Amino acid sequence: MTILVTGGLGFIGSHTVVALIEEGFKVVIADNLSNSSLEVLSSLEDITKENIPFHEIDIADEKVVISLFEEYDFNGVIHFAGYKAVGESVSEPIKYYRNNLLTTLTLADVCKKYGVTKFIFSSSATVYGDNNVPFDETMQLLPTTNPYGETKAICERILTDLANANTDFEVALLRYFNPIGAHPSAVIGELPKGIPNNLMPYITQVAKGNLKELQIFGDDYPTQDGTGVRDYIHVMDLAEGHVAALKNITTGVHIYNLGTGQGTSVLEIVKTFESVNNIKIPYKIVDRRSGDIAFSYADVSKAKKELNWSAKRNLENMCRDSWNFIQAL
Ligand code: NAD
Ligand code: UFG
């Protein structure tokens, strides 16, 4: 099976490429390098010992996507390409709506024209908004507080309508919780440009001495210790979830949470990171970040039952692998 991986040089896409090749899939990567670099391609080739076809293209550009589908006989697509910075989506909403919607519309349209009916989409737990935890796939989606989240909800809707109108389509909408960690080789991982917005990339920069201290956004939530609770998942587990979805997908639209089902607070992450890596992380408590919710964690029973997939790596693995990647840079 040949799978097109859009955004395949990004954080989650690159780890998924490794998991796919390990399972015998052939992979073609398309990425415009807007948030990644070509070095990731050579790291992927080092890890997998394979030459991986790569095309530097914009997935929103219909002409070039058509040429790609003329060149290869794809059996399915995994669509990671998109922008993901929540804060930036608030200040530059059009940029987010344009890229996230146009990439999805273009790719879905070309898939339809070429009869490529397996379509796996990167959605996000953010579409649950402030529902009660654990979030399960049947919940009504609540408005998110940012344009990024809206793009995910709209793309889910577009792909659902496509599959309703074309009953041969097999669509998986994968709602990721909080991916952290890195490949155990420490040659691929997450390295955001500029000052990180997300917790683990911030912690690793503090550990490295590039940032003075972690700011913890609020300790007055109704959680175990007052700090925000999230469902952190090792990126290799997440990657393997995509392989499981590809292998088990059937016609129609199927929504799966990809998380661990465990809620961990910010302070618990900090303590685990400190003890696993033997490094002190200085922090101070500051005001809540606007748009944050107290709890986000998944009900993971559907993915377990239907995809025969569940996360295997624990928080210690996640903290160790995140740090090993940053340390090795
Ligand atoms: P990332 O930014 O590391 O990877 C996205 C990749 O897509 C990048 O390599 C970028 O260069 C590429 N890209 C962006 N626009 C493109 C375009 N128009 N054409 C071709 N390539 C393009 O992000 P990630 O963390 O790997 O996330 C992958 C997907 O998963 C995104 O859709 C993101 O919204 C979604 N997601 C991420 C998280 C998370 O916490 N990381 C959580 C939920 C959902
Ligand atoms: N946090 C801090 N300090 C920081 C960064 C984060 O205290 O410097 C806290 C947040 O307040 C939150 C927790 O750490 O309680 C996690 O925050 P992240 O920014 O790492 O992750 P979020 O859950 O806010 O959002 C992330 C992605 C979204 C995605 C969502 C669900 O940024 O795009 O996970 O997958 F939708």
Side-chain angles (χ1 to χ4, degrees), residues 155-300:
C155 288
E156 285 200 2
R157 179 61 200 262
I158 291 169
L159 295 170
T160 301
D161 289 343
L162 174 74
N164 287 339
N166 299 275
T167 50
D168 53 341
F169 259 84
E170 302 163 89
V171 172
L173 307 175
L174 304 182
R175 294 180 179 159
Y176 311 153
F177 282 71
N178 291 59
I180 57 172
H183 189 265
S185 65
V187 298
I188 55 170
E190 182 178 25
L191 186 62
K193 292 175 181 161
I195 295 178
N197 297 305
N198 297 115
L199 181 62
M200 185 54 82
Y202 204 103
I203 290 178
T204 51
Q205 288 307 311
V206 173
K208 193 138 183 155
N210 293 340
L211 293 168
K212 193 171 127 250
E213 63 189 357
L214 171 70
Q215 301 193 327
I216 296 184
F217 300 136
D219 67 349
D220 57 351
Y221 286 106
T223 61
Q224 52 267 42
D225 55 28
T227 64
V229 164
R230 297 290 181 272
D231 185 338
Y232 297 93
I233 174 170
H234 196 293
V235 66
M236 283 310 302
D237 277 322
L238 189 61
E240 289 160 12
H242 292 73
V243 178
L246 259 185
K247 285 184 173 169
N248 292 287
I249 196 168
T250 55
T251 54
V253 180
H254 308 277
I255 305 175
Y256 297 106
N257 287 337
L258 298 184
T260 62
Q262 302 294 316
T264 303
S265 75
V266 178
L267 280 173
E268 286 166 347
I269 284 269
V270 171
K271 286 198 181 100
T272 308
F273 187 95
E274 289 183 331
S275 75
V276 170
N277 297 314
N278 202 17
I279 298 177
K280 197 97 198 107
I281 301 296
Y283 67 81
K284 74 168 178 212
I285 309 288
V286 299
D287 286 348
R288 290 181 179 194
R289 180 172 66 178
S290 111
D292 271 357
I293 53 179
F295 289 100
S296 166
Y297 56 87
D299 178 328
V300 290

Side-chain angles (χ1 to χ4, degrees), residues 6-13 30-37 57-60 79-84 99-100 103 121-125 148 152 174-179 190 198:
T6 77
L9 295 187
F11 173 45
I12 306 171
D31 199 304
N32 67 356
L33 303 180
S34 57
N35 197 33
S36 52
S37 77
I57 59 169
D58 183 346
I59 294 296
H79 179 36
F80 293 103
Y83 295 149
K84 64 163 181 178
N99 195 42
N100 292 4
T103 51
F121 177 66
S122 299
S123 189
S124 167
Y148 165 73
K152 292 296 173 190
L174 304 182
R175 294 180 179 159
Y176 311 153
F177 282 71
N178 291 59
E190 182 178 25
N198 297 115

Side-chain angles (χ1 to χ4, degrees), residues 7-180:
L9 295 187
F11 173 45
I12 306 171
S14 58
H15 290 80
T16 303
V17 166
V18 174
L20 286 167
I21 292 175
E22 271 171 9
E23 287 293 310
F25 290 90
K26 290 200 171 4
V27 169
V28 175
I29 298 177
D31 199 304
N32 67 356
L33 303 180
S34 57
N35 197 33
S36 52
S37 77
L38 267 182
E39 281 163 38
V40 176
L41 182 64
S42 43
S43 301
L44 287 176
E45 294 186 330
D46 286 347
I47 296 172
T48 61
K49 311 269 178 279
E50 293 215 1
N51 287 324
I52 305 169
F54 168 67
H55 295 260
E56 184 180 340
I57 59 169
D58 183 346
I59 294 296
D61 183 340
E62 190 180 9
K63 265 200 194 134
V64 295
V65 177
I66 285 178
S67 320
L68 195 66
F69 278 64
E70 285 288 334
E71 187 175 343
Y72 299 94
D73 233 342
F74 294 123
N75 301 100
V77 304
I78 308 184
H79 179 36
F80 293 103
Y83 295 149
K84 64 163 181 178
V86 172
E88 189 186 42
S89 81
V90 175
S91 54
E92 296 191 62
I94 302 301
K95 174 177 168 181
Y96 273 68
Y97 283 110
R98 184 189 296 280
N99 195 42
N100 292 4
L101 299 192
L102 287 186
T103 51
T104 304
L105 285 167
T106 306
L107 186 63
D109 198 17
V110 177
C111 279
K112 182 174 173 309
K113 285 193 182 112
Y114 283 79
V116 178
T117 52
K118 277 188 205 304
F119 197 116
I120 312 253
F121 177 66
S122 299
S123 189
S124 167
T126 195
V127 297
Y128 288 112
D130 203 2
N131 263 298
N132 290 328
V133 283
F135 299 153
D136 82 67
E137 293 89 344
T138 62
M139 282 175 163
Q140 203 184 343
L141 302 188
L142 295 180
T144 59
T145 50
N146 59 78
Y148 165 73
E150 289 307 307
T151 69
K152 292 296 173 190
I154 296 168
C155 288
E156 285 200 2
R157 179 61 200 262
I158 291 169
L159 295 170
T160 301
D161 289 343
L162 174 74
N164 287 339
N166 299 275
T167 50
D168 53 341
F169 259 84
E170 302 163 89
V171 172
L173 307 175
L174 304 182
R175 294 180 179 159
Y176 311 153
F177 282 71
N178 291 59
I180 57 172

